[in-house]
Amino acid sequence: MMLIFRSPLFHLLIYCATQTSGVKIESVPNINSEGLVLTELEKTVSLICSSEADEDLVWLRNGAVVNLMEGNRKGRSSVCVTPVIYEDNDATFTCHVSGNTTDRDSVTLNVRYPPTLSGSEEVAVEDGAVLVLQCDIWANPPVSSLSWTLNGSAVDLFASGFAVTNDGFTTQLTANSADASLHEGAYRCTANSPFHGEHSKDFQVRVTEKTMKFPLMPMIAGIVVVCLTALLAVVARWDRITKCCK
């Protein structure tokens, strides 16, 4: 997934450049000084475009034309975004007069959402296998800090042989060789955000004994060969067997 991050200055330039035209967009919730409409998931955003000229208006969402019903075009036109979803974040809505794309106004949605961290998960891993614990931390605004704890104390990466990765979307706590004495217990992943507060997810890790793994296909092939050999042997001696039974 590709994300395009635009600076507040970029949105402000778009907003200011369009305020001298005859087309104007109003919004509920209101548009801030940077030309952004701040909203949250599952909310509703109402956009109203008006023009001094009594002509048809055209709406664009990220450059694509928005289909409008008859009666919702001339002089005044509205677009409703409901419910707001993740994909609406950073979506730019533009309104212009039909046949005159220079007479336009634009606003951009800024959808705020917390990381999806909650609940608990039980994890069973064999002794010596790779242990991977993962948390989704994708949020807007991004989380400001992240921590991992084991049995209530900060995870000792060096002593426990752990590695932590974080790509802004997910964070992973990984141990290449699970050991009950080091890695078994209650884990917690916690993300902090000045806007969304604290969110966490728990893991209960249990390290099990290593099990013997038999190669299934060779075993099946061996059984088939033995059965066929026995069947052929019976067929080859069938005459003698029938004579003995008479």
Side-chain angles (χ1 to χ4, degrees):
M1 178 185 293
M2 179 180 292
L3 295 179
I4 301 176
F5 296 96
R6 300 172 180 170
S7 67
L9 179 59
F10 173 81
H11 297 301
L12 182 61
L13 290 174
I14 292 180
Y15 183 68
C16 292
T18 58
Q19 293 309 297
T20 57
S21 67
V23 174
K24 184 177 181 180
I25 295 177
E26 296 177 316
S27 171
V28 179
N30 292 329
I31 305 169
N32 69 10
S33 60
E34 298 173 352
L36 299 174
V37 177
L38 303 181
T39 185
E40 298 177 17
L41 293 175
E42 303 299 324
K43 299 291 186 179
T44 296
V45 174
S46 298
L47 302 176
I48 300 173
C49 178
S50 57
S51 171
E52 296 175 355
D54 189 26
E55 299 180 20
D56 283 353
L57 297 171
V58 177
W59 279 97
L60 305 175
R61 183 186 188 278
N62 292 337
V65 176
V66 177
N67 293 324
L68 301 174
M69 297 180 63
E70 290 293 338
N72 188 27
R73 299 175 183 173
K74 190 174 294 292
R76 181 182 175 88
S77 178
S78 62
V79 169
C80 184
V81 183
T82 185
V84 172
I85 59 176
Y86 289 104
E87 288 75 11
D88 291 321
N89 185 45
D90 211 32
T92 296
F93 287 84
T94 301
C95 178
H96 67 79
V97 174
S98 179
N100 181 7
T101 58
T102 60
D103 192 4
R104 61 199 293 148
D105 194 6
S106 296
V107 295
T108 300
L109 304 189
N110 187 312
V111 182
R112 298 186 171 184
Y113 47 86
T116 54
L117 286 179
S118 62
S120 61
E121 179 181 345
E122 292 188 0
V123 179
V125 59
E126 284 189 2
D127 183 61
V130 177
L131 170 63
V132 179
L133 304 179
Q134 178 173 301
C135 285
D136 295 327
I137 58 171
W138 186 30
N140 183 36
V143 299
S144 56
S145 65
L146 179 71
S147 63
W148 284 93
T149 61
L150 170 58
N151 297 326
S153 300
V155 171
D156 189 332
L157 300 180
F158 180 76
S160 301
F162 277 115
V164 175
T165 59
N166 181 355
D167 63 3
F169 295 93
T170 61
T171 178
Q172 287 187 341
L173 182 68
T174 306
N176 290 327
S177 181
D179 185 322
S181 63
L182 294 175
H183 304 131
E184 201 166 65
Y187 291 78
R188 173 168 290 181
C189 167
T190 302
N192 286 284
S193 165
F195 185 82
H196 300 293
E198 182 178 288
H199 292 261
S200 62
K201 180 178 180 179
D202 295 330
F203 299 86
Q204 187 64 46
V205 175
R206 181 171 54 90
V207 179
T208 63
E209 293 184 1
K210 188 177 296 184
T211 57
M212 296 295 293
K213 296 181 180 179
F214 297 97
L216 183 59
M217 293 308 295
M219 286 181 63
I220 294 175
I223 292 172
V224 171
V225 170
V226 170
C227 292
L228 288 175
T229 302
L231 181 60
L232 291 174
V234 171
V235 171
R237 298 188 179 188
W238 184 250
D239 289 342
R240 295 182 179 180
I241 294 173
T242 55
K243 288 179 180 178
C244 292
C245 293
K246 290 180 179 180

